[in-house]
Amino acid sequence: MSLADRPSPVATRRAARREEILTAAERLLDEDGIEGLTMRRLATEVGMQAPSLYKHLRDKQELLGALQQRALQSMGDALADAGPTLAELAAGYRTWALANPALYRVATAVPLERERIDPEIEERAAAPVVAAVDGDEHRSRALWAAAHGMVDLELRHRFPDGADLDAAWAALVAAFEA
Amino acid sequence: MSLADRPSPVATRRAARREEILTAAERLLDEDGIEGLTMRRLATEVGMQAPSLYKHLRDKQELLGALQQRALQSMGDALADAGPTLAELAAGYRTWALANPALYRVATAVPLERERIDPEIEERAAAPVVAAVDGDEHRSRALWAAAHGMVDLELRHRFPDGADLDAAWAALVAAFEA
DNA sequence: ACCTGAACACCGTTCAAGT
DNA sequence: ACCTGAACACCGTTCAAGT
C-alpha cells in the first residue's frame, strides 16, 4: 500500500463508526431476535437519531446484507473447526445455529445479493460440506438443504414437543453416509 | 345433530363472513406475497375498515393460524395424490410449494399453536412421508426437514443461479432410498 | 462532515360511538 | 350485531436545516 493510498483518518473514523453500528445491531439481534432489530432502536443503541443512520448505511437492506456477511464468516469458522466427518460437521452446524438463532435467520433468510457479497465467504462456508460428500455438488446441495431444514424447523418449534432430534440428525447423517 | 343445535342463521352468516375474509387473505397472499398481507389491506379488500376485522378475528396471529390450517390441508391433499414412491412424494411436495409460495411460507413459518390446530390435519399431511420411510419416525423427520430445506432455499433464491435443482432433489431422494 | 426535527406513508390494535 | 373514526404506539425513510 503506497503512502497515497493509506486510508485517511476520517475514512478510518467512518469505518469505525460503521463497525460500531454493526456490532450494536448484532447485540440487538442477540437480545431481542430478528424483530427486535429496527432502525430506530438501533439508532438509540448507538446514541443517535434514526435518520443519522442513513449517513452510514444506505438502508436496512444494506445493514442486513452486512450482518449476513458476518454471519456466514462466523459460521464458516465454526464449520472449519468442526472436524471432517459428516457427523461432526452436522453437529457443528446445528450447534452454531442454536447458539446464534437470530444471526442464523439473517444468514439464511436475507436474499443475498450475489453481486455485492464477497464470494469467498460463501465458498468457504460451503467447502466442508462439499468435502464431506466427496465433492459431489448435487449431494452437497441436498445435504446443505437437509441441515438447514432441520435447524429451521427446530428454531421454529415445528417438531413435536418430545421429539428426539438427536435421533433425527443421526438418521440424516446415516442417509448421506450410505 | 338435534334441532336445538342447528346453527342459527346469524352464526351461519358470521361464519360465511369469516370464510370470505380468509379467502381474501389467500388472494392477497397469492398476489403480493406474505408482506402484502396486512390487516389494513385485507380490510379494504373485503370492503370494511381495518378495526372491523377484529369483530371476526382476534388478531393477525389468529388469521395466520387459520391460513396455516388451510395450507396444511391443501398440502395434505397434494401429497396424498402424489403417489407412493419417495421420488413421487418429493416431486409432489416441491410442486405444491412452488405453486403456492406464500402459502407455503405461512404453513411453515408460523409457529403453529398445537393446542388450537386440528391435529388430524398435521398428521394427515405427514402420513405419506412416514409411510415412504417405512414408518421410521426419525428418518421421516429428517426427510421432511430435507424437503423443507430444499424448498426454503429455492424460494429464497439461495442456490447458485444455474444450479441443477432437479439433480439435487434426485440426490436427496437417493440418500433416503438407500 | 455529521447530526437533528419534522414529516410522510405506512403498520397492528383499541375504544368510544354510531346504526 | 356489525361497522366506523379517531387515536396510539410503532415502522422505514426523506429532506431541509443546523453545527
Side-chain angles (χ1 to χ4, degrees):
Chain A
M1 176 159 46
S2 84
L3 258 176
D5 285 344
R6 193 195 319 234
S8 74
V10 336
T12 309
R13 230 181 304 125
R14 271 191 64 72
R17 201 82 166 106
R18 199 185 143 98
E19 283 313 291
E20 192 190 336
I21 292 170
L22 293 181
T23 304
E26 279 183 339
R27 198 167 50 241
L28 274 179
L29 225 37
D30 218 61
E31 287 168 5
D32 305 315
I34 201 158
E35 81 285 1
L37 176 58
T38 75
M39 296 301 270
R40 293 174 113 109
R41 286 214 231 173
L42 177 56
T44 66
E45 190 80 4
V46 297
M48 53 172 74
Q49 297 307 115
S52 304
L53 282 178
Y54 293 80
K55 294 291 160 182
H56 301 273
L57 300 158
R58 186 141 50 90
D59 51 19
K60 191 174 186 179
Q61 186 75 351
E62 189 189 304
L63 170 67
L64 292 174
L67 291 174
Q68 182 182 52
Q69 204 145 335
R70 291 183 158 215
L72 290 175
Q73 187 85 253
S74 161
M75 192 165 136
D77 293 346
L79 294 188
D81 289 355
T85 74
L86 234 173
E88 289 166 325
L89 195 61
Y93 189 89
R94 185 184 180 198
T95 300
W96 188 89
L98 297 186
N100 308 277
L103 210 52
Y104 183 84
R105 278 273 102 87
V106 169
T108 239
V110 173
L112 84 179
E113 311 167 48
R114 284 215 156 64
E115 318 89 48
R116 203 141 43 96
I117 212 173
D118 192 341
E120 275 179 52
I121 292 177
E122 213 191 348
E123 273 166 42
R124 202 176 86 86
V129 181
V130 178
V133 291
D134 303 315
D136 181 329
E137 65 170 347
H138 305 310
R139 268 168 73 78
S140 83
R141 285 185 187 129
L143 172 58
W144 170 40
H148 166 62
M150 284 295 299
V151 163
D152 192 62
L153 295 174
E154 182 173 9
L155 289 179
R156 294 185 193 281
H157 303 106
R158 290 304 243 87
F159 289 113
D161 260 2
D164 183 348
L165 298 188
D166 287 341
W169 275 96
L172 177 62
V173 168
F176 279 89
E177 262 167 353
Chain B
M1 176 160 44
S2 83
L3 258 176
D5 285 344
R6 192 193 321 234
S8 74
V10 337
T12 310
R13 230 180 306 123
R14 271 192 63 70
R17 200 80 166 105
R18 199 184 142 97
E19 283 311 292
E20 193 190 336
I21 292 170
L22 293 181
T23 303
E26 279 184 338
R27 197 166 54 241
L28 274 179
L29 225 38
D30 219 60
E31 287 167 6
D32 306 314
I34 202 159
E35 81 287 2
L37 176 57
T38 74
M39 296 301 270
R40 292 174 114 109
R41 286 215 231 173
L42 177 56
T44 67
E45 190 79 6
V46 298
M48 52 172 76
Q49 298 307 115
S52 304
L53 282 178
Y54 293 80
K55 294 291 157 185
H56 301 273
L57 301 157
R58 185 142 51 91
D59 51 20
K60 192 175 185 179
Q61 186 75 351
E62 189 189 302
L63 169 67
L64 291 175
L67 291 174
Q68 182 182 51
Q69 203 144 337
R70 290 183 159 214
L72 289 175
Q73 188 84 256
S74 161
M75 193 166 136
D77 293 346
L79 294 187
D81 289 355
T85 75
L86 234 174
E88 288 166 325
L89 195 61
Y93 189 88
R94 185 183 180 199
T95 301
W96 188 89
L98 296 186
N100 307 276
L103 210 52
Y104 182 84
R105 280 271 102 91
V106 170
T108 237
V110 173
L112 84 179
E113 313 168 48
R114 285 214 155 66
E115 317 85 51
R116 203 139 45 96
I117 212 172
D118 193 339
E120 277 179 51
I121 292 177
E122 212 192 349
E123 274 166 41
R124 203 177 85 85
V129 181
V130 178
V133 291
D134 304 314
D136 181 329
E137 65 170 346
H138 304 311
R139 268 169 72 79
S140 84
R141 285 186 188 127
L143 173 58
W144 171 39
H148 165 61
M150 284 295 300
V151 163
D152 192 61
L153 295 174
E154 182 172 9
L155 289 179
R156 294 186 194 279
H157 302 105
R158 291 306 244 84
F159 289 112
D161 261 3
D164 183 348
L165 297 187
D166 288 342
W169 275 96
L172 177 63
V173 167
F176 279 90
E177 261 167 351

